C-alpha cells in the first residue's frame, strides 16, 4: 500500500462516525490524531533541515561567474577614458583603481558555478534565456543611453544609465535571467536590488590606498562629468563570463558562451561561428554527462554483469543463432 493511498484511507476513516474510537488494539493501526501528530513532526523536522541547508548554501555563496552585456560603442569607451585620465591627473594613485577599456560592461546577473558540470549547466541556462529575451524585446533593439557619473558609497565609480523605458526592459531581462538560472539549480542573484550601471573604477582594486589615506572617491574629481553624455549602446549580445579565469587578449573577461539578441545585422561568418560555438558547447555537455554516467559504480557494475552474462550466453549456445547485441540490451 503506497503512503498516499494509506493517508487517503486514514482521512476517509476520520470522517466516519467511529473515527473517535481507538482501533489500534483490534487492527494494529495507529489512531488518526496520533498518526497526524507524528507526520506533522516529521514534516517539521524535514522543513527545518531544508532551511538549514539553504542557509548554509547562501553562507558559502561566493559568485564567480556573471552575465555580461559588453560595451562596444567606441564613443562610450573613449568618453570613459577621458574621465579616467581626468581623475588620474588629480591623483595618480588612482590609476590602479581604474577598470581597463576592454572590460567595460553591464552586469545582468551574478552566480556561483563550482565545476565544469555546473558551467555546462550555466551555458544551457543561457541558451534557455534567449527566447525569453526575444519575447521581452518583441523584435526591437534595446538601446542603452549613458549620461553622468555617480558612486556607490564613494567606493565604486560608475557611469549612469539614463532613466527610460529601456530600464524597464533591462530589468525584465535581468529577472528572466535570475529565474531561468535558479530553475536550473544554480545559485544566482544578489540580496540587494538590481541597479544597472557601468563601472569605471573601484577602490577595492587597490586596498593599499587606504593605508595612504585614500578612503573614498572625491566628488570633485568627476564634477565636470556630472552631466556629460557618453553615448548609446545597442545591446546585441549577452555573455556568460568568469570573474576568475584569465582575461582575453583584448582585456575582456573569459567568455564561456554567448547569445546574440536584437536586430543588429550579422554577417554569415558570425552566424557560422555562433552555430559552431553552440554545437561545441552542447557536445561538451553531452560528453561530460556520459563520462559522469560511466564513472558511477552502479553503471560499471551493470556493464560488468551484462558482459559476463553475454559471455556465458555465447559459450553455452555456440551452435545457435543468438544475437549477442540483443542479449546485452
Amino acid at each position: 500500500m503506497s503512503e498516499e493511498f494509506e493517508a487517503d484511507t486514514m482521512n476517509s476513516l476520520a470522517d466516519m462516525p467511529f473515527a473517535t474510537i481507538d482501533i489500534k488494539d483490534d487492527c494494529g493501526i495507529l489512531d488518526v490524531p496520533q498518526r497526524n501528530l507524528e507526520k506533522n513532526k516529521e514534516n517539521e523536522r524535514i522543513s527545518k533541515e531544508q532551511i538549514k541547508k539553504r542557509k548554509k548554501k547562501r553562507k558559502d555563496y561566493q559568485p564567480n561567474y556573471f552575465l555580461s552585456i559588453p560595451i562596444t560603442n567606441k564613443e562610450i569607451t573613449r568618453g570613459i577614458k577621458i574621465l579616467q585620465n581626468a581623475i588620474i591627473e588629480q591623483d595618480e594613485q588612482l590609476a590602479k583603481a581604474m577598470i581597463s577599456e576592454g572590460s567595460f560592461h553591464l552586469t545582468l546577473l551574478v552566480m556561483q558555478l563550482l565545476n565544469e558540470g555546473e558551467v555546462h549547466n550555466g551555458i544551457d541556462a543561457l541558451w534557455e534565456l534567449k527566447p525569453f529575451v526575444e519575447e521581452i524585446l518583441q523584435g526591437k533593439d534595446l538601446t542603452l543611453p549613458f549620461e553622468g557619473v555617480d558612486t556607490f558609497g564613494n567606493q565604486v565609480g560608475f557611469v549612469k544609465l539614463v532613466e527610460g523605458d529601456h530600464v524597464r526592459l533591462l530589468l525584465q531581462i535581468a529577472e528572466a535571467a535570475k529565474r531561468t538560472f535558479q530553475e536550473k539549480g544554480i545559485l544566482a542573484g544578489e540580496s540587494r536590488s538590481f541597479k544597472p550601471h557601468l563601472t569605471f573604477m573601484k577602490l577595492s582594486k587597490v586596498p593599499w590606498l587606504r593605508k595612504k589615506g585614500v578612503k573614498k572617491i572625491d566628488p570633485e574629481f568627476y564634477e565636470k562629468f556630472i552631466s556629460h553624455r557618453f553615448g548609446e549602446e545597442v545591446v546585441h549580445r549577452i555573455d556568460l563570463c568568469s570573474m576568475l579565469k584569465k582575461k582575453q587578449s583584448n582585456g575582456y573577461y573569459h567568455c564561456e558562451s554567448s547569445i546574440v539578441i536584437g536586430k543588429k545585422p550579422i554577417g554569415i561568418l558570425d552566424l557560422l561561428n555562433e552555430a559552431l560555438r553552440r554545437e561545441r558547447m552542447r557536445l561538451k555537455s553531452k560528453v561530460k554527462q556520459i563520462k559522469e554516467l560511466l564513472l558511477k559504480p552502479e553503471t560499471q557494475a551493470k556493464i560488468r554483469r551484462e558482459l559476463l552474462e553475454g559471455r556465458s550466453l555465447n559459450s553455452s549456445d555456440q551452435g545457435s543463432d543468438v544475437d549477442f547485441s540483443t542479449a546485452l540490451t
Side-chain angles (χ1 to χ4, degrees), residues 65-284:
Y65 277 82
F66 65 102
L67 290 186
S68 165
I69 296 176
I71 301 301
T72 58
N73 185 342
K74 296 297 182 183
E75 180 188 358
I76 297 176
T77 56
R78 193 162 45 243
I80 294 176
K81 288 301 294 180
I82 293 172
L83 165 64
Q84 290 175 327
N85 290 333
I87 293 174
I88 294 169
E89 283 179 5
Q90 297 172 80
D91 190 341
E92 293 182 356
Q93 297 178 105
L94 294 175
K96 296 287 186 181
M98 298 302 170
I99 305 298
S100 61
E101 181 178 344
S103 299
F104 295 149
H105 71 281
L106 247 67
T107 299
L108 267 181
L109 182 71
V110 296
M111 69 202 69
Q112 185 184 64
L113 303 174
L114 297 177
N115 52 53
E116 285 302 310
E118 291 187 3
V119 170
H120 292 313
N121 202 22
I123 292 170
D124 290 340
L126 177 62
W127 280 100
E128 288 180 16
L129 174 64
K130 183 177 172 68
F132 292 114
V133 176
E134 291 172 346
E135 183 180 351
I136 291 168
L137 296 181
Q138 296 181 352
K140 299 177 182 178
D141 280 332
L142 178 57
T143 303
L144 306 177
F146 292 94
E147 182 178 329
V149 177
D150 202 352
T151 68
F152 290 125
N154 293 317
Q155 299 296 306
V156 177
F158 63 90
V159 174
K160 296 193 294 185
L161 183 62
V162 179
E163 292 295 327
D165 193 54
H166 52 273
V167 176
R168 177 182 63 81
L169 296 174
L170 194 61
L171 291 173
Q172 287 182 9
I173 293 173
E175 186 58 37
K178 184 177 180 180
R179 182 176 64 252
T180 304
F181 276 76
Q182 287 183 347
E183 286 176 353
K184 299 285 276 186
I186 295 170
L187 283 176
E190 295 180 282
S191 56
R192 61 188 179 188
S193 59
F194 173 66
K195 183 178 180 179
H197 59 279
L198 174 49
T199 302
F200 67 87
M201 71 177 294
K202 287 183 180 180
L203 289 185
S204 60
K205 283 170 60 69
V206 277
W208 49 265
L209 281 178
R210 181 169 289 274
K211 294 179 180 179
K212 292 192 173 186
V214 181
K215 298 180 180 180
K216 66 176 186 176
I217 303 169
D218 191 333
E220 292 184 1
F221 289 169
Y222 56 83
E223 63 179 355
K224 293 181 181 179
F225 296 85
I226 290 294
S227 301
H228 180 76
R229 189 166 184 84
F230 288 85
E232 297 181 343
E233 177 72 29
V234 179
V235 179
H236 66 276
R237 203 176 81 222
I238 298 176
D239 302 324
L240 175 62
C241 297
S242 169
M243 298 179 186
L244 305 178
K245 291 183 180 179
K246 185 179 179 180
K247 289 185 176 182
Q248 301 178 35
S249 57
N250 61 0
Y252 190 60
Y253 298 88
H254 174 86
C255 180
E256 299 287 353
S257 187
S258 307
I259 55 173
V260 176
I261 62 173
K263 298 190 300 182
K264 183 178 179 179
I266 301 173
I268 186 66
L269 187 59
D270 293 323
L271 289 172
L272 286 172
N273 286 335
E274 191 70 23
L276 286 171
R277 185 204 293 267
R278 184 174 181 177
E279 290 304 315
R280 184 169 63 251
M281 292 302 176
R282 283 184 174 177
L283 182 59
K284 284 174 68 176

Side-chain angles (χ1 to χ4, degrees), residues 306 309-310 313 321-329:
E306 292 188 353
E309 288 175 357
L313 184 62
D321 295 324
V322 177
D323 186 352
F324 184 68
S325 62
T326 305
L328 282 176
T329 57

